[in-house]
Amino acid sequence: TKWHLTEKTLRPIACGQPFVLVSTPGSLEYLKRYGFRTFGDYFDESYDRIQDPVQRLEAVVDLMKSLSDLSTEQQQKLHHQLKDICQFNKDRFFSKEFFNQVVDEFKINVDCGFSKIKQSVLA
């Protein structure tokens, strides 16, 4: 499985918003490796471990439905509870450490790509 940090993933993080990812399995764990926090203490993130794409999407839809079925008061309480994680993630996104981590990974990927090209040319 290949994971990608796209603008669709990073936009809510940069804006300090909670998120649910409709992505490849393991995407939440991938984000955690970058130092971001997710919301598993507040709602079910087991969808991220489902391999079958249809079942994963169904689990995401079920989660979104359960969140939208909360009363206005419950939604406001949940939003307040998630605020610290959202702020942490926003600060992390704009940190020099995250920037350097992404640049370093990019350099490694470019070097790896050039190595594969060289190997295929020499083969």
Side-chain angles (χ1 to χ4, degrees), residues 69-80:
D69 285 345
L70 295 174
S71 68
T72 302
E73 182 179 310
Q74 291 170 315
Q75 287 179 6
Q76 289 172 345
K77 181 180 179 184
L78 180 61
H79 191 267
H80 179 73

Side-chain angles (χ1 to χ4, degrees), residues 51-105:
Q51 295 297 313
D52 180 84
V54 173
Q55 290 176 358
R56 190 172 52 260
L57 183 57
E58 288 172 348
V60 168
V61 169
D62 289 345
L63 171 59
M64 297 303 294
K65 183 168 178 5
S66 71
L67 293 173
S68 68
D69 285 345
L70 295 174
S71 68
T72 302
E73 182 179 310
Q74 291 170 315
Q75 287 179 6
Q76 289 172 345
K77 181 180 179 184
L78 180 61
H79 191 267
H80 179 73
Q81 291 171 319
L82 302 180
K83 198 177 249 183
D84 287 343
I85 295 173
C86 293
Q87 186 61 52
F88 174 89
N89 286 340
K90 183 177 180 179
D91 293 344
R92 172 81 180 142
F93 178 82
F94 288 105
S95 72
K96 185 72 170 167
E97 182 182 347
F98 176 64
F99 176 82
N100 290 337
Q101 191 176 2
V102 171
V103 169
D104 290 345
E105 184 177 292

Side-chain angles (χ1 to χ4, degrees), residues 29-71:
E29 289 303 316
Y30 184 63
L31 273 177
K32 289 176 186 179
R33 284 183 260 165
Y34 275 98
F36 294 106
R37 295 181 185 164
T38 64
F39 309 97
D41 289 341
Y42 299 96
F43 53 78
D44 183 9
E45 292 183 332
S46 64
Y47 68 87
D48 190 54
R49 295 184 299 275
I50 300 172
Q51 295 297 313
D52 180 84
V54 173
Q55 290 176 358
R56 190 172 52 260
L57 183 57
E58 288 172 348
V60 168
V61 169
D62 289 345
L63 171 59
M64 297 303 294
K65 183 168 178 5
S66 71
L67 293 173
S68 68
D69 285 345
L70 295 174
S71 68

